[in-house]
Structure formats: structure tokens, C-alpha cells
Amino acid sequence: MMLFLLIFLGAVVAQLVLPWWIVGPVAFVLSFWRGQTGGRAFLAGFSGVGLSWLLPAAWWQVHTGSILSQRVATLLPLGGNGWVLALVAAVLAGLLGGLAALAGVWLRQAFRPRPPQPATADASMAAK
Amino acid sequence: MLLYIRALLLLALTGALTWVLNTQQGTVPPMGKFLSPYQGFWRNGEADDDFPTAQTLSLPGLQQPVQVRFDDRHVPHVFAQNDHDLYYAQGYLTARDRLWQMEFQTHVAAGRLSEIVGDSRLETDRFFRRMGLKHGAEQSLKVMMADPTIGLVMQSYSDGVNAYIQSLTPRTLPFEYKLLDYQPEPWAPLKSALLLKFMAFDLSGRSDDLRMSNILAKYGPAVVKDLFPDYPQREDPIVPVGAPRDFTPVPVPEVPAAFQAALSSKVPQNEPDAELGSNNFAVSGAKSATGFPMLANDPHLQLNLPSIWYQMQLVAPGVNVYGVTIPGAPTIIIGFNQQVAWGVTNVGADVLDWYQLKFRDASKREYWHDGRWKPVRRQLETFHVRGRPDRVDTVLYTHHGPVVYDEDEKPFLAETPIRHALRWTAHEGANEVLTFYRLNRARNYQDYTTALSTYASPAQNFIFASTQQDIAIWPNGRFPLKWRDQGKFVLDGTDPAYDWHGWIPQAHNPHVKNPERGFVSSANQFSAGPEYPYYIGWDFAPWDRGHRINERLITMTKVTPDSLRLLQNDDLGVNARTVLPRLLQLVQPRQLPADQRRVYEELSRWNYRYAANAIGPSLFELWYPNLVKRIWDDEFGSTPEQPMRYPSRDRTTTLLLKEPNARWIDDQRTPTRETLAELAQKSLQWAADSLTRKFGPLGPEWRWANQKSTDILHLAQLPGFGRMDIDCGGGAGIVNATSQRNGPSWRMVVALGPQPRAYGVFPGGESGNPGSRFYDDMIDTWRVGQLDELVYLTSPTQKHRRLQAAWTLQ
């Protein structure tokens, strides 16, 4: 849960100033640092990065009355549905985030197979 | 170890995925970049409250503050304190709404589309380079930049566009750049010149010279004279027959001894659409309800989004003009100010000719002309094709112009070398922008004629009205001084007698001022009657629209802006009115099967109106062209080896009405001898069958709007970005010229007076951003033939209920 939050917040903040692909390094580094198992890291990366797209996309969807997303969803083609387009975009970004997070935790496991056992509350919560 | 390999492999996979999503794959946009809600296309969506109602923008290079007010159609009303700032602001604001369109169109004209979309458009690029559009633009630019006034206008406009380009960030980049994954390059005055040449191509880039040469070779001069006459039987010329002449004609060159071009196998592809045309008309104060002249204009062009035109009001010391501009070129092209209104339609004069060349040898370094070998100029054209190595093409230039169609570069057709040089007024350097600069500031007839004197291409019927109670029209441009029929066929490129011999003096261009009938008008028909002393062409648009406009204007009194609006929307088909009674007479309804008899009755009841719900036009517009094809195709149909063309609609009408036994009616490809009645019956059955297949049995589904299906497409033809199947009437050859893909691209009606009152609409919107409500907000007003009142301000602080935002640029 903690890793998911970290990736989500890290991805949002980084993308405000940096190109979109920064989500990969963000998920990778955070998961290298705090990731536990591969499956959970992937999920955290997928949902953290995915949500970092889904929420703002949904906001633009509502705010702009989806004039443009409808057109793009016709072009791509996704039946002209802007919400489907938002979901597809989020899954795409999530996939990248998940893979990057998985790579992060796998690399950490490669030279330190056991996760760190610090006494902080965060870590113990994350370990549960 | 395995753990390391696993991790590194996954890392590499993640990196590869990132790269794939950040890069254009074929025609697929870079999905990650494009779909990102932080910098991707989502950020181009515009909510209504995103548009600042008040803001101050700091722009480098402005000399004094510029006030801009936006009305509820998002039309900018610009108040500047000098010319520099005015055109700077015009460039900036136009780019703000239309940058992608401006740059895309100049890339097309410059033959640089393959830089954006790759080698799929390389042939298009080669064509435009070889037609010499850039060459022409460079010639015009030299003339314009040498003029201190227009040089300043062009440079300021360009600086304004660049100020906008420099303000862009990855997030604010216009939508299409994100989709096609490229960046705008700096603007330059040459690009504005290119746009004007692109219009010249669109409006004067057609020619039938080679087709006519083929017909001449096959049938001889007598048939050409009969079927392709220099003046039609039915015509209602722009300058009325009998209007007094105010000039003494200069002598025209002698007709040289006969020359017949060698048979040629190709004509240039990518010809502009023949359906492009326009209407304009103005009535005198004596005919109007207000006692002041009124003027209307609707140029017909391909229906595209973003809109072809952009509305603006430009105010500075000495000028307060409202109208439409071509995005990418400074000044107002069609519009009005407090004293005058003006508009344009295209002149179908022959200003494009082909010269057959004789090269000394295969190296094509020299060509024969005037009894000696002259050097060929070779110009290298480099194409920076996206994702491919550069390509280089060589274009040969003679004193006539570029050799556009050079078969020798395609070895597989080397056995039929075609060597024609193109002579075209669009290659001439001329200061067209000065014409519009002066029209924007014109106060009277004198100013208007001064403005027209420098105009060259594309030739236009400039219509004019002033508060001083003058109305006038000048079919105007630079017309070559030709012998009769010069350029009707391919010309001999070796004999100087076939060269163009200077120009018709501009003051001798056809014109009429304050004619007795109390109105002036044009609809692309012949500029003047047969008594006009110069030859400017033999093939103009059919008379239908022009005649209909004139017959209605003649009967009108107490004209209001609404009467002119209704005339712009007139949907009576003159051609149907002329020939349908004869066609119905040719068919024997009793011999028809029951379902076809119902079709026949439906047509008999039709009032020739091209209304959206009418069924008559759906039938007639299939029946008539099919009959025409059955009459002419066996003799004048085109084959790849021998392109030809049919005789004009006017000539066909004469044949239908008066020559039932003409030799052309029989289909030579069949052993039997066909009669006109048989052809008429067969083509009616074909029309009825077509509609039955498409829509089922005769019923409301056969309505004209369904059959015509007017579409407005995005400039890059992106699915989802146009407006399809628009429910509206009109058609080709109808005053309301809304056909499948072409139509009135701007409708304007101006009532002059103490204060001008004007009305207008175009099929689109002010914004070029497909994520904006203002991208297509005027389409429905346009569709039903309504106009918006245009907000004409006299001061930047004027109160008006339709003003929504006030910006300051400084």
C-alpha cells in the first residue's frame, strides 16, 4: 500500500514538470527502494502509475466536456468513447509502471534477496 | 546470477516499451506522449471558462499596446496604434487559433509534406515543386519585400506568428503536432507568399490544353469549332453586353501559322476540382431599401476543417476593416470598412499554357527557340523525407517556365517522352498583398481601382460598393495578351510567335461601373461578351448560377440584407429547368415498368429546386450526367493514352434541345444505331436502379441531402475530426453551391450606410483546435442558410452585448 502511494505521488509530481516517461524511472527507483515481492511491486507500479493517468484524464474528460477525447477515440478507433480512451491510456501507462516496478524489485532482490528490516512503522506496515 | 539476468532483461524490456510508446510507429502516434494527461492531447481540450476574459500578454517587439476584444464567436477585434503592431497582432492571433493549418498548407504548397508524413506523399511534393509554386512565391516575395509598406506588413505578420510559436511548450503544442509528432518551424514571409500561390493553384491550376490538342488531332478544326466554341449559346456575362467601353484597345498579336502538337499521352494529375466557383453581387442604392448599396459574396471552395477563412476586425490609424483572412497571409481578403465593401470570385480565364519543347539531345541541357539553342536552367530540389534519406529531384526551367511533366525521369515510360514547359501567371512576381492592403483602407471607387492595378494572380472578379453610391465589378488580374485561341491547345515552344506577348493593359480588363440595371454580379461565367476586344479564354463556368442571380436581381426592389441572404441560398437548378422538360418528353412513360413510372411522375412534379428533402435532384443528378456520358463517352471519353474531355454543358444542352439527329448520339461501340430517346430512357432506368439499390424503393429516403451527403473533412482527413452527412440542400451549379465536398466557404452580406451593418458565416469556426467548441460552432447556422450579424466596433472600449473578452498585448 505504501509503495503504491509512493509511486502514485512520485509519478504525479514528476510528470508535472518532466516528460511522461519519467513514470518508468520513478516506479523503478521507488520499488528498488521499498519493494517487497515481485507481484506486489507490479501491482503497486501498475495501479500507482495507472491512477496517476486515470484521475487527471477523468478530470479533463469532465472539465472539457470530452469534445476532443471523443474525436480521438473515433480516430484510434475506440468507438468514440472518451472514457474508454482514458481507461486504455491508464492501462498502457500502468503496464509500463508495473514492469518498471517489477524490474526495480527484481534487481534489488538480485543482490540483496531479503528486503531490509528496518524498525520504522512504515516498513512494518508495508511488510504486512 | 539468474536473478541478475532476469532483472536486467526486464529492465531492458521496460526501456524498450518506453521507447516504443515515445516514438511514432508508422502512422501510429507516440502513444505514451500522445495519451498523457499531463502533456498529451488531453491538454488541448478547451472548456468554455478556460478562455481568459481579461489578460495582458507580453510579446517581444510590439511598439505600443494593442487592445483585442473577442466576441461570442471568438472573432478577435484588434485595435493597434500603427501598422507594425496591427499586422504583428494579426499574425500572433491567427497563429494562436490556426498555426497547424497555416504551416501544413504552406508545407503542401512548398512540396514539403513528406517531411511530416513520410514518403507516402513524396509524389505530391514532387508535383508541387515541379509546378513551381515555390518558384512563384519567391518571385512575389521579392516584389513584396521591396515595397516598404508591404515589406513591413509581411515582416510584422511573420514576427507575430513567431512570437506565438516561441511561446509554445510541449503541453500547449497544437493537437495535430502531437498526433503527427513534429514541431512547428519558424514562420517567414515566404510562407505567406506560398499560401497565396496555393490559392492560385487551387483557382487557376487547371488546363485542358492537352485534351483539346488530342481532340483537334482526332476530329479536326471543324468539329472543335462546332463542339468547343469560344463563346456559348447561353451566357449572361459579368460585364453586360452593350456596356460602354472606356478604353481604346491595343493591337493583339498575329495568329501564327498552324501548329499541331504531337499527340501526348499524359496530363498532369492532381488537378484542382472543376466545381470550385463563387458568387458575388451588389445592388445600387436605388434598388435597396436603405438607399445605400448592398453587397454579398460567397466563395466556394473545398469544405474543410479547420475553416479556410478566419474572421477578424483590424483597426489602426487609417484603417478599420472587418472580414475574412486566409490564415497565414496578412490583411483582410474579403470584407468591408465604413465606406466600402468588396468581395471576390474566381475568373476562369486561361492563364496557364503548355509549350511543347524540342531539346538538343537526351541530356536536355539546351532547347530550341527562336532559331537557336538556348540553355536550360537546372534547379535541384531536395526532399527531406521523414525517416528516409534525402531525395533530390532536378527540375528543368526554360524561359517559358518549369518542365513539369518530365517522363524521362521514369525510365519505364521513356519511349513516350513528354517535354512540356509550363507558362503560368502564378510564376510572375506581383504584389497581391498591396491590393488587399489598399482595399482594406479604400474609401471610394478611385481607391478601389488603384488597389486593383497591382494585382496579378489568381485573377478574381473584384466586386465593389461604396457609401458614395458606386457599385462596380472588375474581372481583374494579369491577363496575357493573346491571339484568339492562343493556349486553347498545346503551344509550340520553339517559335517565339507562340510566346506570351506582354499583358492586356490593366485598365483594359473587363469592368463595369454603375450599370443601368442597378446591380453587378459574377458567378465565374464569361467576364464579358463577344464584343470584348481581347481573348482571355474560351471555357468559363456554365452560366447557370450567374443567370439565376441576374434574373432574380432584375426583379428585386427595396433590397434588404435578408433578400441577398435568401438569394445566396437560392436552390433553383437552371440546368434542370432548361433540359428536364425535354428529357421527360423523350421518355415514353407508358413503356416504363410500374416502379419506373412512379419515378417519372416524381420527376414531372419536381419544381427544379435542390431542397434537402426533394427527390427530384437525386434522380436528375444521376440521370443527366449518365445521359451526357452515353452521348459523348464513345467519342470524347478519356483513355490513359489519349485524355480528352466532353463538350461543355452549354453545347450539350443545344444538342439535347435542337439536334436530335446529331452524329454524336449513336454509340459507335455498338452495331445498332441508338436514338436520343433510347439513351434518355436507358439513363433514367440506370438512375432509378442506382437509387433503388442504395435506398430501397422510391420513398423519403431518396431525399437529396441523403444522396448528396455533404461532408466537411479535417484537412488531414482524420476520422472523427470532420462533420459528415450534413443535412442541407444546394448543389454544383446551384447558387447555393453546396455539393458533396465543396460549397460556400464564407457567406457575407454587407449593407453600407452611415454605419455598415454586415452579416456572415462560414462552415466551421474561428478556432482550429478540434478540442474547442469554436472549432465548428458555426456549421449549423451555415447549414440552414442563416447568417450571424458581424460585430463591427468603432472603438476598443465600445460596449456591445456580444463581447466576451478583452486582452491587451504589449
Side-chain angles (χ1 to χ4, degrees):
Chain A
M1 188 63 192
M2 177 52 64
L3 182 61
F4 155 71
L5 274 178
L6 282 174
I7 291 178
F8 172 67
L9 291 174
V12 168
V13 171
Q15 286 183 94
L16 290 178
V17 284
L18 294 168
W20 74 278
W21 49 256
I22 196 65
V23 296
V26 164
F28 174 80
V29 167
L30 288 173
S31 157
F32 182 90
W33 176 41
R34 302 296 290 267
Q36 301 289 321
T37 65
R40 285 160 75 176
F42 179 85
L43 274 182
F46 181 84
S47 49
V49 170
L51 268 187
S52 85
W53 275 36
L54 189 60
L55 293 181
W59 194 81
W60 294 123
Q61 232 343 62
V62 174
H63 178 67
T64 60
S66 74
I67 300 179
L68 188 54
S69 56
Q70 269 181 21
R71 297 188 190 281
V72 174
T74 308
L75 177 70
L76 276 181
L78 294 169
N81 191 326
W83 289 104
V84 173
L85 180 64
L87 207 63
V88 167
V91 166
L92 214 57
L95 201 63
L96 183 69
L99 289 177
L102 185 60
V105 83
W106 276 3
L107 191 67
R108 210 272 326 289
Q109 285 171 357
F111 56 85
R112 199 170 59 186
R114 231 166 281 285
Q117 300 289 334
T120 64
D122 282 355
S124 57
M125 275 175 69
K128 284 172 191 173
Chain B
M1 190 59 203
L2 271 178
L3 288 182
Y4 274 108
I5 291 169
R6 176 182 79 162
L8 290 174
L9 276 178
L10 185 60
L11 195 58
L13 176 71
T14 312
L17 183 63
T18 309
W19 179 82
V20 165
L21 293 177
N22 200 44
T23 314
Q24 193 187 35
Q25 305 294 328
T27 58
V28 179
M31 282 304 195
K33 207 160 39 164
F34 179 66
L35 294 178
S36 159
Y38 296 85
Q39 298 191 336
F41 84 86
W42 298 95
R43 304 307 302 268
N44 296 86
E46 275 177 33
D48 281 357
D49 51 6
D50 286 348
F51 194 79
T53 53
Q55 71 170 340
T56 300
L57 291 170
S58 286
L59 301 177
L62 274 179
Q63 293 167 357
Q64 280 164 307
V66 176
Q67 310 293 324
V68 187
R69 309 202 59 191
F70 291 89
D71 64 33
D72 56 2
R73 288 295 195 194
H74 265 208
V75 176
H77 304 258
V78 183
F79 293 82
Q81 297 173 44
N82 55 62
D83 272 8
H84 169 273
D85 290 355
L86 184 66
Y87 295 106
Y88 182 103
Q90 188 186 12
Y92 178 84
L93 293 164
T94 310
R96 199 182 159 281
D97 276 327
R98 302 290 186 89
L99 177 65
W100 176 78
Q101 172 192 16
M102 290 160 60
E103 198 188 41
F104 187 78
Q105 285 182 320
T106 51
H107 269 61
V108 175
R112 294 180 51 199
L113 210 47
S114 55
E115 291 177 29
I116 304 169
V117 296
D119 61 355
S120 62
R121 299 308 290 274
L122 184 61
E123 282 310 306
T124 314
D125 284 350
R126 284 190 70 226
F127 173 73
F128 277 107
R129 299 258 187 123
R130 300 185 72 89
M131 281 292 282
L133 262 72
K134 191 160 142 255
H135 166 71
E138 281 162 356
Q139 301 301 316
S140 281
L141 186 68
K142 269 186 224 158
V143 181
M144 290 193 265
M145 296 313 274
D147 177 313
T149 308
I150 300 308
L152 177 81
V153 169
M154 299 286 283
Q155 192 58 53
S156 313
Y157 186 91
S158 179
D159 292 345
V161 176
N162 283 325
Y164 177 68
I165 292 174
Q166 275 148 27
S167 76
L168 288 172
T169 65
R171 180 169 69 72
T172 59
L173 201 62
F175 170 80
E176 288 89 345
Y177 290 105
K178 294 182 182 178
L179 181 73
L180 301 170
D181 194 30
Y182 73 110
Q183 297 286 324
E185 65 180 22
W187 193 260
L190 176 68
K191 289 173 179 274
S192 300
L194 272 166
L195 269 177
L196 296 173
K197 295 301 175 188
F198 191 59
M199 288 303 280
F201 168 74
D202 215 21
L203 296 171
S204 72
R206 288 179 59 82
S207 71
D208 277 329
D209 307 10
L210 288 170
R211 299 190 183 96
M212 289 305 300
S213 281
N214 287 339
I215 291 168
L216 181 65
K218 185 160 177 187
Y219 294 104
V223 166
V224 167
K225 200 173 166 206
D226 174 19
L227 296 186
F228 302 90
D230 285 348
Y231 195 77
Q233 298 245 327
R234 280 154 287 271
E235 185 54 289
D236 199 339
I238 296 169
V239 175
V241 174
R245 182 190 293 167
D246 62 359
F247 60 87
T248 311
V250 298
V252 298
E254 300 249 329
V255 180
F259 158 77
Q260 204 160 315
L263 284 187
S264 55
S265 69
K266 294 276 177 183
V267 292
Q269 299 300 302
N270 298 313
E271 275 192 310
D273 203 317
E275 274 177 54
L276 299 180
S278 312
N279 308 319
N280 59 22
F281 33 92
V283 297
S284 69
K287 238 176 141 54
S288 83
T290 60
F292 283 96
M294 293 181 187
L295 178 144
N297 187 196
D298 54 296
H300 313 152
L301 294 166
Q302 196 175 63
L303 299 172
N304 286 330
L305 288 169
S307 298
I308 294 160
W309 302 100
Y310 184 68
Q311 290 181 54
M312 271 191 139
Q313 182 177 2
L314 299 177
V315 191
V319 62
N320 183 353
V321 62
Y322 188 112
V324 287
T325 81
I326 297 171
T331 72
I332 299 290
I333 306 290
I334 296 169
F336 63 95
N337 60 37
Q338 257 156 322
Q339 280 84 27
V340 312
W342 79 96
V344 294
T345 66
N346 194 42
V347 181
D350 186 7
V351 294
L352 185 158
D353 287 332
W354 296 96
Y355 285 91
Q356 193 167 47
L357 298 175
K358 187 170 144 193
F359 290 107
R360 183 165 198 169
D361 52 41
S363 70
K364 290 180 285 176
R365 302 254 167 200
E366 289 175 298
Y367 68 105
W368 185 254
H369 182 257
D370 198 10
R372 63 195 175 90
W373 295 108
K374 295 186 172 179
V376 170
R377 185 166 69 82
R378 302 170 78 87
Q379 181 161 319
L380 294 186
E381 296 286 350
T382 306
F383 301 85
H384 307 288
V385 184
R386 184 173 186 160
R388 297 285 167 101
D390 285 0
R391 285 275 303 270
V392 179
D393 198 11
T394 309
V395 186
L396 310 182
Y397 277 81
T398 66
H399 77 286
H400 301 291
V403 183
V404 176
Y405 204 76
D406 194 343
E407 211 66 27
D408 289 338
E409 291 178 15
K410 295 180 183 169
F412 56 90
L413 280 175
E415 71 281 0
T416 51
I418 307 299
R419 298 153 170 172
H420 289 128
L422 169 67
R423 181 86 162 100
W424 185 22
T425 50
H427 293 152
E428 303 289 321
N431 199 342
E432 279 89 9
V433 175
L434 180 60
T435 298
F436 294 107
Y437 179 89
R438 285 175 168 161
L439 282 173
N440 289 193
R441 289 158 178 77
R443 291 165 187 281
N444 51 46
Y445 181 77
Q446 184 65 46
D447 292 348
Y448 154 77
T449 52
T450 306
L452 299 196
S453 64
T454 60
Y455 188 86
S457 160
Q460 298 290 301
N461 298 302
F462 285 88
I463 198 165
F464 172 83
S466 78
T467 52
Q468 295 184 350
Q469 302 290 2
D470 286 324
I471 57 169
I473 190 162
W474 278 69
N476 186 58
R478 207 172 275 174
F479 299 116
L481 186 64
K482 291 178 165 187
W483 31 272
R484 176 152 294 279
D485 287 348
Q486 183 179 2
K488 186 171 180 174
F489 313 97
V490 168
L491 296 168
D492 183 348
T494 66
D495 183 347
Y498 288 80
D499 285 16
W500 286 4
H501 297 279
W503 310 100
I504 295 174
Q506 191 271 335
H508 298 188
N509 282 347
H511 58 278
V512 61
K513 180 188 176 193
N514 299 326
E516 259 172 46
R517 61 186 185 184
F519 67 86
V520 289
S521 77
S522 76
N524 316 100
Q525 74 272 46
F526 270 74
S527 304
E531 79 281 6
Y532 182 65
Y534 304 106
Y535 173 78
I536 59 172
W538 68 278
D539 187 28
F540 288 71
W543 81 323
D544 306 32
R545 282 180 291 118
H547 179 60
R548 177 62 181 164
I549 289 166
N550 290 351
E551 74 178 16
R552 285 200 57 186
L553 284 172
I554 285 166
T555 63
M556 279 190 195
T557 53
K558 298 216 178 328
V559 171
T560 64
D562 211 48
S563 359
L564 297 188
R565 176 185 72 81
L566 289 169
L567 179 50
Q568 286 182 330
N569 285 283
D570 184 277
D571 60 2
L572 184 117
V574 169
N575 185 44
R577 191 179 64 184
T578 313
V579 303
L580 183 58
R582 168 71 176 146
L583 299 193
L584 290 170
Q585 188 192 32
L586 283 167
V587 175
Q588 299 301 318
R590 272 158 306 172
Q591 295 176 2
L592 293 171
D595 57 330
Q596 303 226 351
R597 208 170 318 142
R598 282 175 52 224
V599 164
Y600 182 90
E601 283 155 13
E602 181 73 40
L603 269 170
S604 310
R605 282 195 301 272
W606 181 39
N607 58 4
Y608 315 121
R609 295 207 164 264
Y610 283 63
N613 277 325
I615 289 171
S618 303
L619 278 163
F620 180 73
E621 287 298 319
L622 288 171
W623 184 11
Y624 175 77
N626 188 256
L627 174 62
V628 170
K629 187 166 187 258
R630 284 172 196 268
I631 294 172
W632 297 123
D633 202 52
D634 51 329
E635 291 96 0
F636 298 98
S638 284
T639 59
E641 296 76 37
Q642 196 177 35
M644 292 195 280
R645 54 159 285 176
Y646 297 168
S648 67
R649 178 183 283 182
D650 177 72
R651 187 61 189 84
T652 307
T653 301
T654 304
L655 180 122
L656 289 173
L657 300 185
K658 297 179 184 159
E659 301 169 6
N661 300 316
R663 63 184 262 216
W664 312 109
I665 288 165
D666 174 42
D667 188 344
Q668 300 185 328
R669 295 167 295 200
T670 62
T672 53
R673 185 169 178 85
E674 285 79 10
T675 65
L676 191 54
E678 283 168 26
L679 297 187
Q681 185 141 343
K682 276 186 197 159
S683 47
L684 174 61
Q685 287 179 359
W686 180 86
D689 288 348
S690 303
L691 288 172
T692 308
R693 271 197 304 276
K694 191 165 168 189
F695 298 116
L698 174 64
E701 276 296 297
W702 287 29
R703 60 197 295 272
W704 175 229
N706 284 3
Q707 165 64 6
K708 171 171 68 124
S709 176
T710 297
D711 294 333
I712 307 179
L713 299 183
H714 183 271
L715 202 51
Q717 310 212 333
L718 305 175
F721 288 73
R723 188 80 81 87
M724 314 299 279
D725 305 328
I726 294 171
D727 191 356
C728 61
I734 310 301
V735 177
N736 173 12
T738 312
S739 63
Q740 188 184 350
R741 285 286 293 119
N742 299 315
S745 57
W746 163 239
R747 286 195 184 111
M748 177 182 82
V749 174
V750 183
L752 293 170
Q755 280 299 315
R757 291 185 80 87
Y759 308 83
V761 74
F762 53 63
E766 282 287 274
S767 176
N769 178 7
S772 164
R773 189 164 68 77
F774 296 99
Y775 176 66
D776 57 1
D777 63 318
M778 292 186 226
I779 289 181
D780 284 315
T781 310
W782 173 86
R783 179 179 73 82
V784 296
Q786 295 294 327
L787 303 173
D788 292 321
E789 178 155 11
L790 306 177
V791 178
Y792 183 74
L793 303 177
T794 47
S795 104
T797 52
Q798 189 178 333
K799 295 234 182 317
H800 196 291
R801 67 186 165 79
R802 286 180 51 201
L803 289 177
Q804 294 187 331
W807 293 8
T808 304
L809 316 179
Q810 64 184 29

